[in-house]
Amino acid sequence: MGPNDVTRQNPHLTYKGNIGAGRHGWLRLTPAYSVRLVRDVVAAYPRDVLVTDPFSGTGTTALAAAEHGGRGQALDVNPFLIWLGNTKLRNYPDDTIRATEMALAETLAVARDVLPKPDLWQPAIFRIERWWSRSALTALRALRAAIDLVGAGPTRDLLEIAFCRTLIATSNAAFNHQSMSFKSSAAHASAESFDVAEATLVLDRYRGEAREIIASAAVDLPGTGQILPGDSRDMRSPALQSGCDLLLTSPPYVNRMSYIRELRPYMYWTRHLSAAADAGELDWRAIGGTWGVATSRLSTWSPREVTPVDAEIGRVCAAISRDGGKNGPLLSAYVRRYFDDMWSHFQSAYKHVRSGGRATYIIGNSTFYGHIVPAERWYAIMLREAGFADVSVTNIRKRNSNKHLFEFSVSAVRP
């Protein structure tokens, strides 16, 4: 079977394909999609192509467009992801690279000096001792204090990226399935004594991560890109240029895997998040979000408009509600809200794409209590009803061991 056989999971077409891919590999995030998929699509366009991603995530689409020599632009509601994407999309002159190398050496020196201090700041992460051993947490606090002494700007942003990589690399958290768990050693973390050698290894890890970030940042982008604050439902942002040649994106899947789930440690340590309630509020604003208050509010949510797939959604959601036990009604509302939001987006997307331009969505289907939610087929119907033509659905790959779950490319042209 070939490497793109749809009966295989093809990990190179997932976030794993971004590891080691320059700036695309700066931060690991499981819901991110593969730069290889993006590059294959963008390669068919001229170098000055205008590419829009209404669901920026880690900035994969906008960055790939800039690498191609084009103009990439994207929207997101999450301030951390906006910062991350724009840090990836910036060009770093030689003097900035040299300044960052010097700042790295100073940051490590300061971190070693403050390592013994007991009163350094740490984020209000619930049961933080599960996440890091005492020694690792001490080292991270020292690094955070040292980075805080660096003035705001490109140099500090690069040091922050390296810090984010280090805090995940040294954590006890496991993100290899939908429900986050902790390694068994985490149960004994709170009882550990401080180990200078282990703390020093964390500082060494940070040095290595930073050097890798700096090396890839030194390679300029031939094109440009920016991540803008904005809601994909209405795609309103003053700086967003309309009439794009290509709208290329991978929206959150209708499977309750929230970006906030993996972003929380990054967002707490970089001070983009200070309380769990804020995470829930942010997830409620996001399409497909189900963290904290975003879940509780589903019980009182009601549709804003009638979608072109309401009849089918009604049948599937009735089955989910019936067979899902006490969670059935909640998940039924989740599915309804998801497609209500996406219908608003598709109507806005039609206005944004130029005549002759293309919109392509990488999306997976899902199942709830044995009932398939055919996202790819409902996407295709809604795109046609929004005004797009030449709608096609292509099966890309098998997603996991569930024989019903696949990833698709749904593509259409604005007449």
Side-chain angles (χ1 to χ4, degrees):
M1 292 184 289
N4 293 331
D5 190 322
V6 298
T7 65
R8 305 176 68 178
Q9 294 184 30
N10 298 316
H12 63 288
L13 298 181
T14 71
Y15 75 93
K16 294 180 181 178
N18 301 350
I19 298 173
R23 300 183 186 203
H24 290 282
W26 277 7
L27 212 58
R28 171 200 184 281
L29 192 62
T30 301
Y33 69 143
S34 171
V35 63
R36 175 168 173 172
L37 289 171
V38 182
R39 286 173 174 167
D40 286 348
V41 176
V42 174
Y45 287 81
R47 287 175 59 84
D48 63 347
V49 62
L50 176 61
V51 182
T52 298
D53 185 348
F55 301 88
S56 176
T58 59
T60 301
T61 297
L63 179 55
E67 290 173 331
H68 180 67
R71 295 164 291 155
Q73 57 181 4
L75 297 174
D76 212 286
V77 298
N78 189 312
F80 174 82
L81 292 175
I82 294 168
W83 167 79
L84 171 63
N86 284 323
T87 302
K88 286 182 174 181
L89 286 160
R90 183 190 290 127
N91 275 334
Y92 298 88
D94 291 344
D95 58 345
T96 300
I97 295 299
R98 288 192 294 270
T100 305
E101 290 170 341
M102 294 174 61
L104 170 61
E106 180 65 19
T107 295
L108 287 165
V110 171
R112 292 190 191 95
D113 287 343
V114 302
L115 196 62
K117 292 188 176 182
D119 57 347
L120 298 178
W121 178 86
Q122 69 182 38
I125 296 177
F126 177 66
R127 293 183 63 188
I128 197 170
E129 71 278 358
R130 292 188 304 168
W131 287 81
W132 294 277
S133 69
R134 180 182 173 190
S135 302
L137 184 57
T138 300
L140 292 173
R141 289 165 56 192
L143 283 169
R144 177 70 272 172
I147 295 170
D148 285 344
L149 299 178
V150 180
T155 286
R156 176 162 168 168
D157 287 343
L158 293 175
L159 296 179
E160 294 268 17
I161 296 288
F163 179 72
C164 287
R165 285 178 55 151
T166 303
L167 67 89
I168 289 301
T170 59
S171 79
N172 293 311
F175 295 108
N176 57 346
H177 50 79
Q178 192 158 338
S179 298
M180 187 187 68
S181 62
F182 294 90
K183 300 170 187 175
S184 57
S185 60
H188 309 291
S190 61
E192 290 180 358
S193 59
F194 175 70
D195 185 339
V196 175
E198 183 185 348
T200 301
L201 286 176
V202 174
L203 300 185
D204 291 341
R205 178 63 182 254
Y206 176 73
R207 179 191 294 107
E209 300 288 6
R211 285 176 173 171
E212 184 177 332
I213 296 297
I214 294 169
S216 54
V219 180
D220 282 348
L221 300 171
T224 61
Q226 60 179 338
I227 314 298
L228 302 165
D231 192 324
S232 58
R233 296 171 186 86
D234 56 37
M235 297 188 64
R236 293 175 186 167
S237 181
L240 186 69
Q241 184 177 345
S242 61
C244 73
D245 305 296
L246 172 66
L247 187 154
L248 177 58
T249 188
S250 182
Y253 293 2
V254 54
N255 63 0
R256 296 197 74 204
M257 179 175 278
S258 169
Y259 270 71
I260 288 293
R261 167 182 172 264
E262 291 189 39
L263 287 175
R264 282 181 304 145
Y266 304 130
M267 294 181 70
Y268 272 109
W269 278 101
T270 58
R271 301 188 178 94
H272 285 93
L273 184 65
S274 59
D278 297 334
E281 289 290 344
L282 185 59
D283 231 18
W284 180 249
R285 292 174 56 202
I287 293 179
T290 60
W291 189 270
V293 71
T295 295
S296 61
R297 288 180 183 171
L298 282 173
S299 61
T300 58
W301 174 85
S302 58
R304 295 169 296 180
E305 55 184 324
V306 177
T307 76
V309 290
D310 260 23
E312 288 195 52
I313 289 177
R315 288 191 290 271
V316 172
C317 286
I320 293 172
S321 183
R322 180 192 66 227
D323 298 336
K326 65 178 183 179
N327 289 326
L330 177 70
L331 293 178
S332 173
Y334 164 77
V335 172
R336 283 183 179 275
R337 181 174 187 250
Y338 176 92
F339 287 101
D340 186 270
D341 285 340
M342 287 306 301
W343 173 233
S344 295
H345 162 70
F346 289 131
Q347 294 173 88
S348 298
Y350 178 80
K351 299 172 185 176
H352 178 78
V353 178
R354 69 166 176 83
S355 178
R358 179 172 292 277
T360 297
Y361 295 82
I362 308 301
I363 187 65
N365 62 354
S366 59
T367 61
F368 291 95
Y369 307 107
H371 301 289
I372 296 176
V373 177
E376 78 290 353
R377 187 161 60 81
W378 291 352
Y379 268 40
I381 293 171
M382 289 191 286
L383 283 167
R384 290 190 190 96
E385 290 299 316
F388 287 95
D390 300 328
V391 181
S392 62
V393 178
T394 302
N395 193 333
I396 297 175
R397 68 179 186 92
K398 191 175 187 295
R399 281 169 48 210
N400 56 33
S401 58
N402 187 323
K403 65 180 181 180
H404 299 295
L405 296 183
F406 290 88
E407 194 168 66
F408 303 87
S409 172
V410 184
S411 190
V413 175
R414 175 172 175 176

